[in-house]
Amino acid sequence: MSTYQQQHVKVVCYLSAEFLMGRHLENCLINLHLHDRVQQVLDELGLDFEQLLEKEEEPGLGNGGLGRLAACFLDSMATLDIPAVGYGIRYEFGIFHQELHNGWQIEIPDNWLRFGNPWELERREQAVEIKLGGHTEAYHDARGRYCVSWIPDRVIRAIPYDTPVPGYDTNNVSMLRLWKAEGTTELNLEAFNSGNYDDAVADKMSSETISKVLYPNDNTPQGRELRLEQQYFFVSASLQDIIRRHLMNHGHLERLHEAIAVQLNDTHPSVAVPELMRLLIDEHHLTWDNAWTITQRTFAYTNHTLLPEALERWPVGMFQRTLPRLMEIIYEINWRFLANVRAWYPGDDTRARRLSLIEEGAEPQVRMAHLACVGSHAINGVAALHTQLLKQETLRDFYELWPEKFFNMTNGVTPRRWLLQSNPRLANLISDRIGNDWIHDLRQLRRLEDSVNDREFLQRWAEVKHQNKVDLSRYIYQQTRIEVDPHSLFDVQVKRIHEYKRQLLAVMHIVTLYNWLKHNPQLNLVPRTFIFAGKAAPGYYRAKQIVKLINAVGSIINHDPDVQGRLKVVFLPNFNVSLGQRIYPAADLSEQISTAGKEASGTGNMKFTMNGALTIGTYDGANIEIREEVGPENFFLFGLRAEDIARRQSRGYRPVEFWSSNAELRAVLDRFSSGHFTPDQPNLFQDLVSDLLQRDEYMLMADYQSYIDCQREAAAAYRDSDRWWRMSLLNTARSGKFSSDRTIADYSEQIWEVKPVPVSLSTSF
Ligand code: 26W
């Protein structure tokens, strides 16, 4: 920090409601080059390093892709010497722990702070206050200026907790600053004095609920007031913190945007736009025009989803009640914005209505994505197709207004955690061959291509994968008592459970193979172990039903004598960062089978590729770019494309036609609806089947045959093991683009306009 303050450098502030950091200890040791020494010392003491690492509670302060991306970005910014602070919420309860009872998901609260958290530093002296509720009053100040003051009915204290995130091979760290909510005693005094103790305590308690728990939804918003309060709470605290630091250094706010870049990780922090306006105007007395210029130049917005139901909207009534001053500012922003729209498109009222920050209707809503677009100088998608679809569909009107604001920033993942740390065998083999520059310049992996015809090297490559599969098999047995064969093809789908991700399509393939074996037990099939893991949002019944289905199918197939152990289905409970670190290195085949046009990017897909798994996937998200990099001959592509899907849906899609014309597909659905997998509850999956036949929103029926055919090709490739290991090597060798270092370099250059600032130890102490 002192280096940054002395040099007046530009700092990136990454605002995110989620940071899915994973365990810290091993990652810190690796990034600080202390790993081997610590391991040696522990060995000498007769202590088990592995066991020690397992003791650490995983901070699961995120749901999935968006939260993990934020964590990879902190690692890359630290490693690239980009000055950065991640701002978020110190949830007392992170993402729930998942258990399986009789195949059903059960949620257990994640009390991760139970034994304390040694990685954080509380900074009480830097607490800030947050207003909520109440009303506003307008007045003219002594100089005759129009002013507004917000008289809240609650004031909450935000306490910062800092966790340093070390970079690899650098003295730099990123700072993760998470806010905890506390009641302010000041307001409670009145209640105490009038003897109203219960009310006073209730106030304090309700203040503290703001940072109590992470909402466990992924891609479906819960329009709860508490969620809006959480968003405002961490955004206001972060902006106040940013302004305080800036004033300390510069004394005024006129050129704030030259000193900081604020990235909005989806719309969850987009109340930052009116909040910065409020702080600049009401608290620091800038003019509207000045404040607006600074605001727009400060913010940039990343969109992470195309699902229409995932776009956040808040009822105007709720917004007004919770954040009355911000609602006024939003109306003012909207009024000025729409005046411009009408000037640019005279007479085009429907366009103005489409662009408005407020959606009209019985219950008017604030459109948070529109607020983020209007208040930012840059808007980006997270993979090439996603950005293209944003421009053509979701944000089309904004693209027509401001094409220069749009960027593509294809996601990436950190090779430190996802290769070096999680797959030490492969990392060592790679470094033996090409040295270790790849750790901070992942494109160096290309040099492995020289070894693609080296039989001895390929054999070592295959042996590493096999050992990783042996390790995972042992873990699977410990967790589930299922015995799997490490020689079988490990076919893996791990991610949140969601209809658009189509875990159900993978199950349909499994049941197809099962039916083949039942029909012909002598069939010569490539033995496969299907591994699933992922959490379902607690209120998402269909997703929970799919978890149950996977387990039910496993419970029958794993014990059927006709199968003779050639197919195994495993559902590993409680998918999180640590479990991911065990799974990716052991995967042969990566399932990336979302309906085309629905998965914004995917980042798990990149982790698999880096670790030498081949992908079976649709033409969706970053799959497209992975295929482009590794070469179409090293990627199993299937299914309809986004254009085909849109076309078919507009012409009226009739999934039942696929049922009529495809006997194998019929046989699969019969297995579900007949109760074959749940004899004691034979009707359990009937609604699921009728949905497939009548609606099939995600087009599983249309993609079924193409998927089955493609899986057949994947099996044939696996049988030809020389070919398979060459393909595997080429996947790793060509995965360099998917380092988050590349992503961060792109953001730094094109959006943030920040440069690396090397930190020397002598100046920081
Ligand atoms: C408000 C409810 C809600 C919660 C989370 C809506 C949307 C979200 C996230 C935006 C969902 C998410 O994590 N999206 C994922 O972001 C990843 C990182 O960019 C992408 O790789 C995934 O494709 C995308 O689903």
Side-chain angles (χ1 to χ4, degrees):
M1 259 304 140
S2 67
T3 306
Y4 302 156
Q5 279 163 8
Q6 283 157 23
Q7 300 186 16
H8 289 274
V9 298
K10 193 168 181 181
V11 176
V12 176
C13 300
Y14 198 84
L15 264 57
S16 179
E18 305 185 7
F19 286 90
L20 199 43
M21 298 298 292
R23 289 186 177 133
H24 290 290
L25 178 56
E26 190 178 30
N27 188 250
C28 288
L29 293 176
I30 287 177
N31 281 9
L32 299 170
H33 287 301
L34 292 169
H35 189 270
D36 295 353
R37 260 193 284 168
V38 169
Q39 176 141 38
Q40 199 188 331
V41 170
L42 289 174
D43 281 352
E44 283 167 19
L45 293 170
L47 293 171
D48 187 322
F49 192 32
E50 279 269 323
Q51 262 178 20
L52 181 82
L53 295 174
E54 290 288 318
K55 293 273 179 230
E56 185 182 346
E57 199 69 55
E58 170 170 326
L61 308 187
N63 275 285
L66 161 136
R68 182 55 228 178
L69 185 75
C72 285
F73 281 5
L74 291 181
D75 178 276
S76 283
M77 290 190 283
T79 300
L80 293 176
D81 291 330
I82 301 290
V85 185
Y87 281 108
I89 302 173
R90 183 177 174 276
Y91 300 106
E92 198 175 321
F93 293 86
I95 188 71
F96 62 85
H97 285 252
Q98 179 195 54
E99 285 184 4
L100 295 170
H101 292 186
N102 186 29
W104 292 96
Q105 166 175 299
I106 302 294
E107 299 94 21
I108 312 291
D110 165 46
N111 191 2
W112 73 291
L113 291 168
R114 187 172 57 227
F115 302 120
N117 171 13
W119 303 100
E120 69 186 7
L121 246 163
E122 184 185 74
R123 305 298 298 269
R124 256 179 197 277
E125 73 286 3
Q126 295 186 31
V128 299
E129 293 197 339
I130 311 296
K131 302 180 190 190
L132 285 171
H135 65 281
T136 66
E137 286 174 6
Y139 64 96
H140 289 270
D141 71 3
R143 289 159 61 186
R145 292 176 306 192
Y146 175 82
C147 302
V148 177
S149 72
W150 173 5
I151 295 84
D153 57 19
R154 279 185 290 158
V155 175
I156 286 154
R157 186 168 294 128
I159 318 287
Y161 289 76
D162 291 347
T163 303
V165 178
Y168 182 80
D169 228 352
T170 164
N171 297 319
N172 189 43
V173 298
S174 295
M175 195 52 77
L176 175 60
R177 172 159 278 200
L178 301 179
W179 300 96
K180 175 188 177 179
E182 274 189 10
T184 45
T185 40
E186 294 90 293
L187 270 196
N188 294 337
L189 268 183
E190 229 179 283
F192 268 116
N193 290 339
S194 55
N196 202 347
Y197 287 5
D198 287 1
D199 277 7
V201 175
D203 261 17
K204 193 167 162 63
M205 301 266 281
S206 88
S207 306
E208 291 180 1
T209 59
I210 288 188
S211 58
K212 197 52 94 182
V213 56
L214 167 76
Y215 278 91
N217 303 312
D218 191 81
N219 270 311
T220 31
Q222 241 176 13
R224 302 294 296 271
E225 199 155 323
L226 180 62
R227 165 104 180 162
L228 178 60
E229 289 176 355
Q230 287 187 334
Q231 295 183 351
Y232 179 66
F233 165 76
F234 96 88
V235 161
S236 178
S238 308
L239 290 176
Q240 290 185 57
D241 194 52
I242 288 166
I243 286 176
R244 183 184 50 78
R245 281 165 192 255
H246 186 81
L247 286 176
M248 257 168 23
N249 278 329
H250 300 81
H252 63 83
L253 296 166
E254 298 294 330
R255 291 197 301 277
L256 182 70
H257 55 279
E258 292 173 15
I260 60 156
V262 179
Q263 193 67 34
L264 304 175
N265 199 20
D266 213 274
T267 55
H268 317 157
S270 59
V271 284
V273 171
E275 175 64 1
L276 182 59
M277 289 297 286
R278 183 187 76 81
L279 291 168
L280 293 178
I281 294 170
D282 293 357
E283 314 261 320
H284 298 278
H285 310 295
L286 271 70
T287 64
W288 180 279
D289 289 334
N290 245 346
W292 186 242
T293 305
I294 293 169
T295 297
Q296 278 191 316
R297 291 182 182 177
T298 298
F299 291 120
Y301 157 56
T302 305
N303 173 288
H304 293 268
T305 179
L306 291 159
L307 300 191
E309 68 270 25
L311 295 177
E312 285 192 299
R313 295 177 164 83
W314 294 106
V316 166
M318 183 194 292
F319 212 109
Q320 175 75 46
R321 233 180 306 128
T322 313
L323 305 168
R325 178 57 181 144
L326 270 74
M327 196 61 240
E328 289 175 2
I329 292 172
I330 291 172
Y331 280 134
E332 181 71 22
I333 295 171
N334 199 34
W335 185 84
R336 290 169 183 248
F337 169 56
L338 292 182
N340 284 329
V341 171
R342 292 203 181 90
W344 293 323
Y345 299 96
D348 195 346
D349 272 2
T350 53
R351 180 183 298 262
R353 207 163 309 131
R354 288 201 309 269
L355 280 163
S356 176
L357 306 190
I358 311 290
E359 184 174 299
E360 299 300 335
E363 200 185 27
Q365 314 255 330
V366 186
R367 296 165 164 155
M368 301 310 274
H370 292 210
L371 181 60
C373 286
V374 172
S376 299
H377 68 279
I379 301 165
N380 76 279
V382 291
L385 174 69
H386 173 228
T387 302
Q388 187 195 322
L389 293 172
L390 283 180
K391 290 177 179 177
Q392 286 170 4
E393 279 152 41
T394 321
L395 300 176
R396 179 185 180 146
D397 291 319
F398 289 97
Y399 180 62
E400 287 175 6
L401 277 186
W402 303 308
E404 71 286 353
K405 278 197 190 185
F406 282 73
F407 296 83
N408 176 244
M409 295 285 141
T410 297
N411 285 165
V413 302
T414 171
R416 270 74 63 185
R417 185 176 291 265
W418 297 112
L419 184 50
L420 181 61
Q421 179 183 339
S422 61
N423 198 346
R425 293 191 183 97
L426 196 64
N428 287 333
L429 181 60
I430 293 170
S431 294
D432 271 0
R433 189 51 52 129
I434 63 169
N436 47 26
D437 288 353
W438 61 271
I439 299 167
H440 47 79
D441 177 12
L442 202 66
R443 301 254 190 199
Q444 297 279 340
L445 291 177
R446 277 265 171 188
R447 291 167 48 213
L448 290 169
E449 283 190 41
D450 297 344
S451 304
V452 74
N453 292 315
D454 179 336
R455 295 187 64 89
E456 191 257 349
F457 187 74
L458 283 179
Q459 202 163 353
R460 285 162 67 195
W461 191 267
E463 184 54 27
V464 163
K465 183 65 82 180
H466 183 75
Q467 283 307 321
N468 292 340
K469 288 164 75 176
V470 169
D471 287 355
L472 184 61
S473 304
R474 192 172 306 129
Y475 181 81
I476 288 172
Y477 183 75
Q478 279 170 9
Q479 297 296 312
T480 67
R481 300 287 134 178
I482 299 172
E483 281 187 53
V484 306
D485 176 3
H487 295 283
S488 64
L489 189 167
F490 277 22
D491 181 331
V492 185
Q493 189 172 22
V494 292
K495 50 183 78 240
R496 286 298 288 247
I497 313 292
H498 204 295
E499 285 164 280
Y500 85 82
K501 296 178 187 282
R502 301 200 295 191
Q503 279 91 357
L504 183 52
L505 183 59
V507 177
M508 288 162 69
H509 169 239
I510 297 171
V511 174
T512 303
L513 299 181
Y514 173 67
N515 286 343
W516 291 352
L517 286 178
K518 292 303 277 182
H519 190 244
N520 174 14
Q522 302 335 315
L523 185 72
N524 184 4
L525 206 68
V526 170
R528 291 203 201 208
T529 300
F530 295 94
I531 298 167
F532 293 87
K535 291 173 184 174
Y540 187 177
Y541 175 72
R542 180 49 55 85
K544 291 179 137 178
Q545 195 181 22
I546 291 169
V547 172
K548 170 66 181 173
L549 176 65
I550 294 168
N551 284 297
V553 167
S555 70
I556 297 295
I557 292 186
N558 295 347
H559 303 109
D560 189 314
D562 286 339
V563 174
Q564 295 167 30
R566 285 170 291 175
L567 303 176
K568 286 281 169 75
V569 181
V570 175
F571 192 106
L572 279 171
N574 200 38
F575 186 56
N576 59 8
V577 172
S578 308
L579 184 51
Q581 289 174 208
R582 294 179 184 273
I583 293 176
Y584 299 114
D588 293 310
L589 192 60
S590 155
E591 297 275 350
Q592 307 299 335
I593 62 178
S594 51
T595 312
K598 300 289 181 193
E599 188 69 273
S601 162
T603 44
N605 48 3
M606 302 169 183
K607 297 164 196 167
F608 282 107
T609 303
M610 251 176 221
N611 284 280
L614 304 198
T615 304
I616 182 161
T618 46
Y619 207 73
D620 199 17
N623 296 352
I624 299 172
E625 291 157 78
I626 292 175
R627 177 169 173 268
E628 194 169 288
E629 292 293 305
V630 304
E633 68 285 8
N634 299 306
F635 187 106
F636 300 103
L637 177 70
F638 74 96
L640 295 172
R641 309 224 169 170
E643 319 80 90
D644 308 329
I645 293 200
R647 202 174 323 111
R648 292 210 185 199
Q649 284 190 334
S650 70
R651 287 186 189 161
Y653 170 56
R654 280 180 301 276
V656 71
E657 288 170 3
F658 293 95
W659 182 86
S660 310
S661 63
N662 190 330
E664 286 193 346
L665 174 54
R666 250 185 344 258
V668 170
L669 297 192
D670 278 355
R671 290 285 194 199
F672 296 148
S673 45
S674 68
H676 183 83
F677 299 114
T678 45
D680 46 346
Q681 272 175 292
N683 301 331
L684 191 57
F685 302 119
Q686 267 172 12
D687 58 336
L688 203 150
V689 171
S690 59
D691 184 271
L692 281 177
L693 293 173
Q694 285 160 33
R695 212 164 66 104
D696 191 21
E697 188 181 354
Y698 298 104
M699 299 216 161
L700 286 73
M701 302 289 280
D703 275 346
Y704 169 79
Q705 195 56 52
S706 166
Y707 182 52
I708 300 297
D709 297 343
C710 194
Q711 284 284 14
R712 210 194 275 270
E713 282 176 47
Y718 191 73
R719 258 186 219 285
D720 180 354
S721 68
D722 287 351
R723 173 172 170 225
W724 184 272
W725 297 117
R726 272 200 310 276
M727 290 166 77
S728 165
L729 175 88
L730 289 176
N731 266 260
T732 300
R734 297 173 179 174
S735 66
K737 174 175 175 183
F738 305 103
S739 167
S740 45
D741 298 347
R742 187 269 313 147
T743 314
I744 288 300
D746 288 351
Y747 277 97
S748 298
E749 230 181 81
Q750 299 174 47
I751 295 183
W752 301 331
E753 299 184 8
V754 295
K755 293 218 146 46
V757 181
V759 175
S760 65
L761 279 184
S762 53
T763 60
S764 51
F765 286 107

